[in-house]
Amino acid sequence: MSSQHESPSHPAVEIQRQPHPRQHQHRAGSGRAFRWSVILNCGLSALQLAIGVGFGSLALIGDAVHNLGDVAGLLLGWGAERLSTRAPNDQFTYGYGRSTQLASLANAGLILMAATVVLVEGIKRLNTPVEVLSTPVAWAAALGIAVNLFSARLFGDDGSHDLNRRAAVIHLLGDAAVSAAVLVSAIVVGLTGWNWLDAATGIGVGLAVAWTGWSLLGASMRVALDAVPAGIEPAAVNQALHSLPGVVDVHHLHIWSMSTSQNALTAHVVRRTGEIDDLKLLHQAKERLAQLGIAHSTLQLEPADPADP
């Protein structure tokens, strides 16, 4: 017997009986956050590139390149999130939720490519420093801090439970930190004339960007390979199912992400018949799984061996 035969009126299963768009709807302000972040970062990147090239700052150019990566990443994330709300069909029976995972993976690739460009150029400039005019560079870096912190704030706490939005917030907060490093570098260069410091800062920026990209790549690969979602302990899930009335064993337990914000589970639950009504057992199981962050679950009930205690 499976969860397909449950009463839709029970709170534990009602969310799973809702139409797909309701399960994957946008959070309030999500589209607005993506839209304004894209607009602001496009303008910021253009300004930083112009000032970085015009006044010789590799660190600022690196910041601008990272911002351009953010623009592409934000556009990917925005489009993927909208695509993930489309209803499932005969060919895509789970819907399009995994598009958000693909966007996160692409974002990681963009970050790593941008980091490589900045690192290579920084190493070249260490040997042949370029004179840097620090005042306009400092103002552009300060503007970068403000724009990126404001853009990250637009997403609220969405990044805590959605990898796609988390990718966007990581990009933006990382850029704010990078801009802060560029600001400090520009001030020091202006006070001391140490033009090599701009190249050194550029290398530091490249390393920081690479670390961000590598971390995001690891998280994205875990989701793409159906690893157990972060924040869910398989042992706790197993224990929750074992603690149900009449349950003697749980096997074929699988936990994965249907999208960057939707977790799913399938399991075979062996129980003693007659100890508790099957529907009540399924309701209790789904309630406990929902408390652990798993809203989509399919449970197959199996009779226990009479010889089992």
Side-chain angles (χ1 to χ4, degrees), residues 72 86 145 166 197 208 223 284:
R86 294 182 60 182
I145 296 173
R166 177 187 168 198
L197 183 60
V223 175
Q284 290 185 25

Side-chain angles (χ1 to χ4, degrees), residues 42-131:
C42 279
L44 177 63
S45 297
L47 179 64
Q48 288 184 326
L49 276 176
I51 293 177
V53 173
F55 296 95
S57 175
L58 176 63
L60 190 61
I61 292 173
D63 195 6
V65 169
H66 194 193
N67 273 309
L68 284 174
D70 281 352
V71 171
L74 287 165
L75 288 171
L76 279 171
W78 189 8
E81 184 171 273
R82 291 182 63 85
L83 186 61
S84 72
T85 64
R86 294 182 60 182
N89 53 48
D90 292 340
Q91 295 298 316
F92 297 92
T93 57
Y94 268 126
Y96 299 84
R98 292 223 170 189
S99 60
T100 58
Q101 298 170 357
L102 296 176
S104 296
L105 195 59
N107 288 355
L110 288 171
I111 293 175
L112 289 172
M113 287 188 289
T116 301
V117 171
V118 174
L119 284 171
V120 171
E121 187 62 25
I123 293 172
K124 290 180 180 178
R125 284 204 181 188
L126 274 180
N127 297 322
T128 54
V130 175
E131 184 177 358

Side-chain angles (χ1 to χ4, degrees), residues 4 15 45 60 85 88 131 138 162 164 270 282 294:
Q4 294 176 348
I15 187 173
S45 297
L60 190 61
T85 64
E131 184 177 358
D162 188 312
N164 188 43
V270 182
L282 288 169
I294 302 170

Side-chain angles (χ1 to χ4, degrees), residues 132-146:
V132 178
L133 297 179
S134 60
T135 299
V137 173
W139 279 110
L143 181 61
I145 296 173

